[in-house]
Amino acid sequence: MPFKMDEEGRNKLIDSVASHKREFEGLLHPLESLTPDKPAVFISVGGGELGDLAITSAKRLYGGASGGVKTVAFDRYQGFPAQDAADASEVFNMMDGELLEKYLKKYVPDPSAPHAIYLEVEKIDTYRAFRLGTEKGYKVMSTPFGPLVCMDRHATKIMFDRLKLKRVDWEYANDDRGVHEAAKDFGLPVIVKPVMTSSGHGTSIVKTKAELDTSYAHAVEHARGIGDEVIVERYLPELKAMGTEITQIVVRHFDENGKITDSFLPPIEHKRPGAAYHESWLPASISGSAAEACKEGAQKIADFMGGIGVYAVEQFVIGDKVYNNEVANRPHDTGLVTRWMLNMDEGGVQLTSTIGLQLNPFSLEISRQGVYGVAHVVLAPPDIEGEMKVSGWDSSRLSALQTKGVRGDFWYFGKPTAYQGRRMGLAVAFQRDLELARRNAEIIAHYAEGCISYGGTS
Ligand SMILES: Nc1ncnc2c1ncn2[C@@H]1O[C@H](COP(=O)(O)OP(=O)(O)OP(=O)(O)O)[C@@H](O)[C@H]1O
Ligand SMILES: [Mg+2]
């Protein structure tokens, strides 16, 4: 690691962002035209549903390799969603920096040729990706240092404070005592999170002293990264009771003058019973002034980080108050709903912007006027043991819902195996009334869950 990941190292990382940004943006150029003889190469490192949305957009929007955009997708298992849609694919452990470099170089031997590398998943050798971007000229988007800042909760919070952004009160702790001290400062409840995590792994909402005693060990045990640090935040009970959550996506892209500019997707609203993504919709129901605050926070972050491509900023909204929570320097799972609700979905936006093409602001407008479009996750059952093969899915049964007046759609990802609660697809429903759309999306999702059958170990 170039930075020791303690408080001082993280501050140095944030200090270095401005100079990295200048250097990296100096390497980026608009792509004037697409040439089938020498296609731009778009590589999705990770090929789940978010990668699939970007990879398929190359064909949908630009005619694929014969139109001038060749796609490549990597993942760790055969049969991953983007594999059959991509022009080429590789299956390997992306945490292995040697292999990651080898395969990137296989498809982009000359980093000065038009290409873009989209880091779709977090479980990759991010430091190798950083070095390939900063030392060898590879176009790791949105920036090669993005994952170092955005995947590290402590570094992200330091960035928020530098930018004077509103966020929940937080402290970091290196041991049990530190967690107790932070809890004393804030008062219970607090939420204790590993520095590196996602989908709530290792996170606990602490309401009692007894829970506090085990929260540090739990966070460290389930952390994704190395180190023994945790983040303690003041818990906002009013978020679930009367607030809502937003993902504000900003895209940095070239404009008609060849300058990098920011454009905004409409705020995407989401609610979650637990910590993981469950349902999201467009348009959002927040107030105009909350929407402005969401946009302002997201713009400051994207401008600070720089590069080109998508930044997705997670925000908590309570009335007109907006708290910035996390940042992803890539498309976001709550944004999958853009496939149905925007003129161009977030995958197309990521591909278009990162290969250096201009983006038409009209692409970011809502396509279905007068309705709410709600997406709801379709999950594998909670009682699966280990990893199981998917033995089939019966799409014809879904049509039964039409007769019940449920209006919607279903996207099946085609993953070859499942484990407990794995995301297998996405249901979507459209209605003028938001609550009805949410109920309908849930009906489709639960019905679809029953159409997938599992059998045998993989
Ligand atoms: N301080 C807080 N107060 C109230 N609720 C919170 C707080 N922090 C997190 N949450 C709830 O927990 C969810 C997950 O938190 P967060 O995004 O920080 O963790 P995560 O593990 O990275 O999750 P994901 O990968 O799904 O984004 C939030 O979307 C929110 O619903
Ligand atoms: Mg989150």
Side-chain angles (χ1 to χ4, degrees):
M1 270 303 206
F3 306 97
K4 191 159 177 279
M5 288 313 242
D6 54 11
E7 176 154 51
E8 197 191 330
R10 289 182 170 101
N11 270 298
K12 282 195 183 138
L13 166 65
I14 301 297
D15 288 342
S16 71
V17 167
S19 67
H20 279 314
K21 172 184 166 180
R22 252 191 322 276
E23 246 172 73
F24 186 63
E25 289 187 355
L27 296 173
L28 304 175
H29 305 288
L31 190 60
E32 303 299 347
S33 67
L34 291 169
T35 47
D37 289 346
K38 278 195 189 149
V41 178
F42 180 83
I43 304 183
S44 188
V45 181
E49 46 277 26
L50 282 168
D52 200 31
L53 206 56
I55 293 281
T56 55
S57 79
K59 293 221 165 43
R60 285 183 280 127
L61 303 173
Y62 303 111
S66 45
V69 187
K70 178 180 169 176
T71 54
V72 182
F74 301 160
D75 214 317
R76 64 182 165 78
Y77 62 96
Q78 285 293 345
F80 63 86
Q83 190 169 23
D84 49 4
D87 296 308
S89 68
E90 302 288 347
V91 173
F92 64 97
N93 173 11
M94 297 169 290
M95 294 294 282
D96 183 332
E98 289 299 310
L99 288 178
L100 183 61
E101 181 161 347
K102 177 179 136 186
Y103 286 121
L104 288 174
K105 285 184 169 163
K106 175 175 171 185
Y107 293 101
V108 185
D110 171 11
S112 67
H115 73 280
I117 298 164
Y118 162 29
L119 306 184
E120 187 243 18
V121 286
E122 297 181 341
K123 277 192 183 161
I124 62 157
D125 185 340
T126 45
Y127 179 44
R128 182 67 68 117
F130 168 77
R131 279 183 35 210
L132 283 165
T134 51
E135 293 167 15
K136 302 194 178 168
Y138 280 88
K139 288 168 187 143
V140 179
M141 307 306 198
S142 306
T143 62
F145 45 91
L148 301 186
V149 178
C150 300
M151 276 171 56
D152 184 286
R153 225 180 266 282
H154 190 168
T156 305
K157 303 244 187 225
I158 293 174
M159 170 175 70
F160 287 169
D161 288 353
R162 293 277 182 98
L163 298 174
K164 300 192 170 51
L165 296 180
K166 199 168 164 58
R167 38 74 179 162
V168 287
D169 292 332
W170 68 281
E171 286 177 28
Y172 70 90
N174 286 309
D175 51 25
D176 251 333
R177 218 188 61 198
V179 172
H180 279 83
E181 274 168 15
K184 208 156 81 200
D185 292 344
F186 300 144
L188 292 180
V190 292
I191 180 163
V192 180
K193 305 175 180 179
V195 171
M196 278 192 201
T197 186
S198 66
S199 306
H201 295 295
T203 295
S204 29
I205 299 166
V206 176
K207 299 195 181 91
T208 63
K209 160 103 183 29
E211 288 166 345
L212 195 61
D213 290 342
T214 55
S215 63
Y216 176 76
H218 178 70
V220 172
E221 190 192 329
H222 292 88
R224 177 165 290 171
I226 32 163
D228 49 11
E229 200 178 278
V230 302
I231 297 290
V232 185
E233 287 177 13
R234 186 193 295 280
Y235 184 71
L236 306 172
E238 62 275 32
L239 177 64
K240 288 250 157 51
M242 51 186 275
T244 193
E245 300 193 45
I246 290 293
T247 305
Q248 176 62 63
I249 297 183
V250 194
V251 51
R252 288 174 63 79
H253 62 96
F254 284 107
D255 67 11
E256 62 279 13
N257 303 313
K259 293 240 157 38
I260 297 174
T261 185
D262 297 316
S263 294
F264 298 87
L265 275 66
I268 296 160
E269 187 166 1
H270 53 108
K271 284 234 161 90
R272 36 185 85 202
Y277 170 45
H278 203 74
E279 50 165 354
S280 57
W281 61 84
L282 277 167
S285 64
I286 56 174
S287 71
S289 67
E292 262 318 301
C294 290
K295 216 169 135 175
E296 197 185 310
Q299 179 160 30
K300 282 189 181 156
I301 293 162
D303 287 350
F304 176 74
M305 295 294 296
I308 50 175
V310 160
Y311 284 96
V313 181
E314 294 178 17
Q315 296 158 325
F316 303 153
V317 178
I318 301 166
D320 285 340
K321 283 203 205 103
V322 173
Y323 301 86
N324 293 279
N325 175 41
E326 282 196 295
V327 185
N329 68 324
R330 53 170 169 77
H332 197 268
D333 44 13
T334 57
L336 290 168
V337 68
T338 58
R339 186 189 134 172
W340 295 271
M341 291 301 288
L342 294 191
N343 291 332
M344 187 189 282
D345 58 59
E346 61 173 348
V349 169
Q350 174 76 348
L351 176 114
T352 302
S353 57
T354 58
I355 61 172
L357 291 171
Q358 279 180 39
L359 199 65
N360 181 345
F362 172 71
S363 305
L364 309 181
E365 287 178 8
I366 290 192
S367 53
R368 289 178 202 250
Q369 294 293 333
V371 291
Y372 287 94
V374 178
H376 193 110
V377 293
V378 171
L379 303 177
D383 55 358
I384 286 188
E385 294 221 356
E387 198 160 345
M388 257 189 153
K389 268 180 80 158
V390 176
S391 51
W393 84 283
D394 186 355
S395 61
S396 60
R397 281 176 55 204
L398 273 172
S399 55
L401 287 174
Q402 279 175 15
T403 55
K404 297 182 181 149
V406 176
R407 309 178 89 83
D409 194 11
F410 175 54
W411 174 11
Y412 183 61
F413 301 148
K415 292 174 183 171
T417 62
Y419 44 78
Q420 236 182 46
R422 186 175 200 186
R423 200 154 66 209
M424 305 306 287
L426 202 65
V428 63
F430 312 102
Q431 288 289 346
R432 281 181 205 286
D433 178 74
L434 174 58
E435 292 313 311
L436 184 58
R438 289 177 70 190
R439 277 201 301 281
N440 280 359
E442 188 178 20
I443 290 172
I444 302 173
H446 292 176
Y447 201 82
E449 281 165 357
C451 297
I452 307 172
S453 43
Y454 303 89
T457 46
S458 62

XYZ file of all heavy atoms in Angstrom, residues 344-395:
387
model
N -31.366 6.527 -20.689
C -30.178 5.680 -20.752
C -29.905 5.154 -19.342
O -29.882 5.934 -18.391
C -28.971 6.476 -21.260
C -27.746 5.603 -21.515
S -26.246 6.578 -21.858
C -26.516 7.049 -23.546
N -29.716 3.838 -19.201
C -29.515 3.313 -17.845
C -28.089 3.591 -17.362
O -27.218 3.994 -18.137
C -29.845 1.814 -17.792
C -29.003 1.013 -18.756
O -27.761 1.042 -18.638
O -29.575 0.356 -19.659
N -27.861 3.335 -16.065
C -26.562 3.690 -15.483
C -25.405 2.905 -16.116
O -24.269 3.376 -16.118
C -26.562 3.512 -13.962
C -26.834 2.089 -13.504
C -26.655 1.893 -11.991
O -26.110 2.755 -11.304
O -27.075 0.824 -11.517
N -25.693 1.718 -16.669
C -24.643 0.952 -17.360
C -24.219 1.671 -18.637
O -23.024 1.820 -18.932
N -25.212 2.139 -19.395
C -24.929 2.893 -20.628
C -24.208 4.189 -20.310
O -23.295 4.608 -21.035
N -24.607 4.815 -19.219
C -23.979 6.081 -18.805
C -22.507 5.844 -18.449
O -21.622 6.606 -18.843
C -24.757 6.687 -17.603
C -24.000 7.843 -16.981
C -26.155 7.117 -18.035
N -22.255 4.744 -17.729
C -20.872 4.425 -17.351
C -20.025 4.138 -18.597
O -18.920 4.651 -18.748
C -20.869 3.209 -16.391
C -19.494 2.668 -16.022
C -18.757 3.530 -15.001
O -19.164 4.651 -14.710
N -17.676 3.021 -14.460
N -20.549 3.320 -19.494
C -19.789 2.966 -20.696
C -19.529 4.204 -21.563
O -18.391 4.472 -21.971
C -20.544 1.893 -21.505
C -19.854 1.538 -22.814
C -19.346 0.099 -22.797
C -20.768 1.732 -24.017
N -20.579 4.954 -21.821
C -20.469 6.130 -22.699
C -19.445 7.127 -22.149
O -18.564 7.592 -22.875
C -21.848 6.806 -22.837
O -22.768 5.847 -23.350
C -21.796 8.020 -23.748
N -19.595 7.435 -20.859
C -18.710 8.454 -20.284
C -17.275 7.960 -20.207
O -16.345 8.693 -20.547
C -19.209 8.882 -18.902
O -19.310 7.769 -18.040
N -17.075 6.710 -19.783
C -15.693 6.271 -19.537
C -14.903 6.028 -20.815
O -13.684 6.151 -20.804
C -15.628 5.010 -18.631
O -16.368 3.957 -19.240
C -16.145 5.294 -17.234
N -15.574 5.660 -21.915
C -14.769 5.523 -23.138
C -14.523 6.881 -23.803
O -13.828 6.974 -24.800
C -15.319 4.485 -24.159
C -16.700 4.857 -24.649
C -15.276 3.075 -23.592
C -17.164 3.955 -25.791
N -15.113 7.926 -23.216
C -14.769 9.283 -23.664
C -15.740 9.879 -24.660
O -15.446 10.911 -25.269
N -16.913 9.251 -24.808
C -17.911 9.821 -25.716
C -18.697 10.917 -24.989
O -18.803 10.899 -23.759
C -18.884 8.732 -26.194
C -18.283 7.691 -27.140
C -19.277 6.557 -27.371
C -17.884 8.322 -28.476
N -19.260 11.821 -25.770
C -20.112 12.852 -25.161
C -21.410 12.228 -24.681
O -21.863 11.230 -25.253
C -20.459 13.903 -26.201
C -19.374 14.909 -26.410
C -19.806 15.925 -27.457
O -20.961 16.340 -27.503
N -18.866 16.314 -28.300
N -21.994 12.847 -23.682
C -23.248 12.332 -23.142
C -24.312 13.403 -23.380
O -24.114 14.557 -23.024
C -23.052 12.094 -21.650
C -24.002 11.190 -20.929
C -23.896 9.758 -21.436
C -23.675 11.208 -19.438
N -25.409 12.992 -23.961
C -26.505 13.925 -24.185
C -27.319 14.042 -22.886
O -27.796 13.028 -22.379
C -27.365 13.341 -25.312
C -28.537 14.208 -25.664
O -28.890 15.115 -24.910
N -29.134 13.918 -26.797
N -27.473 15.253 -22.329
C -28.195 15.386 -21.046
C -29.603 14.788 -21.090
O -30.128 14.328 -20.078
C -28.265 16.903 -20.825
C -27.250 17.488 -21.728
C -26.981 16.530 -22.846
N -30.195 14.742 -22.270
C -31.525 14.147 -22.439
C -31.514 12.665 -22.034
O -32.512 12.126 -21.561
C -31.938 14.303 -23.907
C -33.188 13.582 -24.284
C -34.428 14.036 -23.820
C -33.147 12.452 -25.093
C -35.593 13.359 -24.170
C -34.306 11.775 -25.433
C -35.534 12.241 -24.976
N -30.350 12.019 -22.190
C -30.234 10.597 -21.827
C -30.545 10.368 -20.357
O -30.934 9.277 -19.961
C -28.806 10.096 -22.051
O -28.404 10.335 -23.359
N -30.338 11.399 -19.529
C -30.462 11.222 -18.085
C -31.858 11.571 -17.567
O -32.102 11.565 -16.371
C -29.406 12.064 -17.358
C -27.966 11.868 -17.860
C -27.000 12.722 -17.057
C -27.560 10.403 -17.777
N -32.763 11.854 -18.498
C -34.121 12.202 -18.057
C -34.978 10.952 -17.866
O -34.734 9.905 -18.472
C -34.774 13.122 -19.095
C -34.196 14.513 -19.049
C -34.804 15.424 -20.103
O -35.791 15.026 -20.777
O -34.275 16.537 -20.256
N -36.024 11.127 -17.053
C -36.956 10.018 -16.807
C -37.759 9.731 -18.070
O -38.266 10.638 -18.725
C -37.856 10.365 -15.604
C -36.966 10.335 -14.350
C -39.046 9.410 -15.495
C -37.670 10.361 -13.038
N -37.797 8.445 -18.445
C -38.446 8.077 -19.699
C -39.936 7.785 -19.526
O -40.717 7.989 -20.436
C -37.758 6.852 -20.299
O -37.709 5.821 -19.325
N -40.317 7.243 -18.375
C -41.748 6.920 -18.160
C -42.342 8.004 -17.285
O -42.108 8.028 -16.080
C -41.897 5.584 -17.444
C -41.549 4.397 -18.301
C -41.686 3.126 -17.480
N -40.886 2.090 -18.076
C -41.385 1.025 -18.694
N -42.675 0.826 -18.761
N -40.572 0.142 -19.233
N -43.093 8.875 -17.892
C -43.679 9.991 -17.134
C -44.982 9.550 -16.486
O -45.698 8.721 -17.027
C -43.938 11.174 -18.076
C -42.659 11.789 -18.641
C -41.817 12.473 -17.583
O -42.329 12.944 -16.576
N -40.507 12.521 -17.800
N -45.249 10.092 -15.328
C -46.563 9.880 -14.705
C -46.684 8.604 -13.897
O -47.748 8.303 -13.376
N -45.616 7.820 -13.819
C -45.669 6.613 -12.980
C -44.419 6.533 -12.104
O -43.394 7.144 -12.411
C -45.734 5.296 -13.803
C -47.047 5.145 -14.518
C -44.549 5.161 -14.760
N -44.556 5.785 -11.031
C -43.388 5.385 -10.258
C -42.947 4.023 -10.784
O -43.781 3.144 -11.026
C -43.733 5.262 -8.767
C -43.941 6.588 -8.098
C -45.224 7.126 -7.976
C -42.855 7.306 -7.604
C -45.409 8.358 -7.365
C -43.044 8.539 -6.994
C -44.317 9.063 -6.889
O -44.499 10.279 -6.292
N -41.660 3.841 -10.965
C -41.109 2.532 -11.311
C -40.322 2.040 -10.114
O -39.375 2.690 -9.679
N -40.780 0.916 -9.550
C -40.142 0.387 -8.340
C -39.469 -0.945 -8.645
O -40.107 -1.850 -9.197
C -41.184 0.167 -7.207
C -40.521 -0.437 -5.972
C -41.880 1.477 -6.853
N -38.197 -1.062 -8.312
C -37.469 -2.328 -8.488
C -37.370 -3.024 -7.136
O -37.169 -2.360 -6.107
C -36.076 -2.053 -9.036
N -37.500 -4.342 -7.148
C -37.477 -5.117 -5.899
C -36.604 -6.354 -6.122
O -36.765 -7.049 -7.122
C -38.917 -5.530 -5.548
C -39.071 -6.054 -4.158
N -39.738 -5.374 -3.173
C -38.623 -7.191 -3.578
C -39.711 -6.067 -2.050
N -39.031 -7.182 -2.270
N -35.704 -6.617 -5.198
C -34.769 -7.731 -5.413
C -35.461 -9.089 -5.356
O -36.418 -9.283 -4.606
C -33.612 -7.738 -4.369
C -32.702 -6.543 -4.556
C -34.149 -7.792 -2.943
N -34.962 -10.018 -6.162
C -35.425 -11.414 -6.163
C -34.274 -12.234 -5.591
O -33.172 -12.240 -6.151
C -35.772 -11.857 -7.595
C -36.048 -13.353 -7.657
C -36.972 -11.052 -8.093
N -34.528 -12.855 -4.460
C -33.422 -13.478 -3.722
C -33.538 -14.999 -3.681
O -34.646 -15.554 -3.708
C -33.403 -12.946 -2.279
C -33.293 -11.427 -2.115
C -33.371 -11.038 -0.642
C -32.000 -10.881 -2.733
N -32.399 -15.666 -3.571
C -32.394 -17.111 -3.324
C -32.871 -17.334 -1.890
O -32.710 -16.456 -1.037
C -30.981 -17.654 -3.510
N -33.476 -18.515 -1.606
C -34.043 -18.747 -0.276
C -33.005 -18.660 0.840
O -31.822 -18.907 0.615
C -34.591 -20.183 -0.363
C -34.536 -20.572 -1.776
C -33.624 -19.657 -2.510
N -33.487 -18.314 2.050
C -32.555 -18.172 3.175
C -32.078 -19.507 3.732
O -31.160 -19.548 4.536
C -33.383 -17.423 4.223
C -34.804 -17.679 3.865
C -34.863 -17.945 2.397
N -32.715 -20.617 3.275
C -32.370 -21.908 3.895
C -31.442 -22.762 3.025
O -31.259 -23.937 3.268
C -33.640 -22.691 4.232
C -34.533 -22.882 3.014
O -34.161 -22.370 1.937
O -35.584 -23.524 3.144
N -30.844 -22.146 1.991
C -29.897 -22.905 1.163
C -28.633 -23.163 1.976
O -28.130 -22.270 2.646
C -29.536 -22.101 -0.107
C -30.706 -22.126 -1.089
C -28.281 -22.634 -0.769
C -30.378 -21.541 -2.433
N -28.143 -24.394 1.871
C -26.886 -24.691 2.586
C -25.736 -24.613 1.605
O -25.755 -25.266 0.570
C -26.964 -26.091 3.179
C -28.021 -26.163 4.251
C -27.573 -26.980 5.448
O -26.467 -27.547 5.396
O -28.350 -27.026 6.421
N -24.744 -23.818 1.912
C -23.578 -23.697 1.036
C -23.975 -23.135 -0.316
O -24.797 -22.226 -0.406
N -23.388 -23.712 -1.378
C -23.683 -23.220 -2.723
C -24.450 -24.297 -3.482
O -24.058 -25.456 -3.480
C -22.365 -22.902 -3.442
C -22.566 -22.015 -4.631
C -21.292 -21.293 -5.063
O -20.325 -21.252 -4.275
O -21.277 -20.784 -6.188
N -25.539 -23.925 -4.104
C -26.384 -24.902 -4.813
C -26.542 -24.521 -6.263
O -26.564 -23.339 -6.610
C -27.776 -24.904 -4.186
C -28.022 -26.066 -3.282
S -29.755 -26.080 -2.852
C -29.943 -27.792 -2.547
N -26.691 -25.511 -7.122
C -26.922 -25.238 -8.543
C -28.344 -24.736 -8.767
O -29.258 -25.148 -8.059
C -26.759 -26.534 -9.337
C -25.351 -26.729 -9.857
C -25.238 -27.990 -10.626
C -25.779 -27.825 -12.038
N -25.228 -28.846 -12.938
N -28.483 -23.865 -9.756
C -29.833 -23.488 -10.164
C -30.250 -24.523 -11.193
O -29.573 -24.713 -12.205
C -29.833 -22.071 -10.787
C -31.210 -21.719 -11.298
C -29.355 -21.049 -9.765
N -31.371 -25.203 -10.933
C -31.737 -26.276 -11.865
C -32.745 -25.798 -12.908
O -32.935 -26.457 -13.916
C -32.263 -27.487 -11.096
O -33.269 -27.083 -10.210
N -33.375 -24.666 -12.685
C -34.264 -24.167 -13.719
C -35.064 -22.969 -13.251
O -35.094 -22.651 -12.070
N -35.693 -22.328 -14.216
C -36.638 -21.278 -13.823
C -37.749 -21.218 -14.854
O -37.517 -21.373 -16.043
C -35.945 -19.965 -13.561
C -35.666 -19.079 -14.734
C -34.688 -19.207 -15.652
C -36.396 -17.896 -15.070
N -34.736 -18.187 -16.542
C -35.777 -17.373 -16.202
C -37.496 -17.243 -14.510
C -36.233 -16.205 -16.813
C -37.951 -16.092 -15.109
C -37.313 -15.581 -16.247
N -38.949 -21.058 -14.347
C -40.130 -21.193 -15.175
C -40.720 -19.812 -15.446
O -41.552 -19.324 -14.683
C -41.116 -22.095 -14.409
C -42.331 -22.406 -15.255
O -42.433 -21.840 -16.368
O -43.163 -23.195 -14.790
N -40.275 -19.215 -16.547
C -40.687 -17.838 -16.841
C -42.171 -17.754 -17.183
O -42.808 -16.729 -16.943
C -39.851 -17.284 -17.980
O -40.038 -18.067 -19.130
